[in-house]
Amino acid sequence: MAGGANPWSGEVALVIGGERHVLKLTLGALAELEAALETGTLVELVERFEGGAFSTRDVLALIVAGLRGGGWQGRAGDLVAAEIEGGPVGAARAAAELLARAFMLPEGAG
């Protein structure tokens, strides 16, 4: 993963194809993610990640939604041959971090 993203606003940086991207799960990106999930809800997705029972489809859906939230105009198919920094493990870590940051309360809130 690359640095420079603002974790307090839910951002995660990831290098894809040698280019740094900022991923963020905006409300629109979350809606797109929910639509992309073939089964289950966002709560179930969080539970899968917390339990380590997520699929590569979950990781890809999260990465695509985060890219979209960061302004990317591509499609999931564009990532099939893309080299992601850290490989599948790096992608899974970025997806898990993105999901956690999307639902994290700011310090002092609550």
Side-chain angles (χ1 to χ4, degrees):
M1 265 182 294
N6 183 351
W8 304 116
S9 67
E11 296 175 352
V12 173
L14 185 63
V15 176
I16 302 171
E19 184 179 336
R20 181 186 170 279
H21 294 271
V22 174
L23 288 66
K24 183 174 182 172
L25 290 178
T26 60
L27 186 58
L30 284 167
E32 188 172 307
L33 174 61
E34 195 168 52
L37 296 173
E38 292 191 3
T39 58
T41 64
L42 290 176
V43 171
E44 291 169 342
L45 180 64
V46 170
E47 290 171 347
R48 287 196 299 271
F49 269 84
E50 286 177 343
F54 55 88
S55 68
T56 54
R57 184 179 318 157
D58 292 336
V59 171
L60 181 61
L62 270 163
I63 296 294
V64 169
L67 285 166
R68 288 235 193 258
W72 184 68
Q73 298 297 311
R75 300 181 334 248
D78 297 335
L79 299 178
V80 171
E83 184 175 326
I84 295 176
E85 185 176 84
V89 172
R93 283 185 183 148
E97 191 173 339
L98 184 63
L99 192 58
R101 287 184 181 175
F103 294 101
M104 175 176 60
L105 289 175
E107 285 187 32

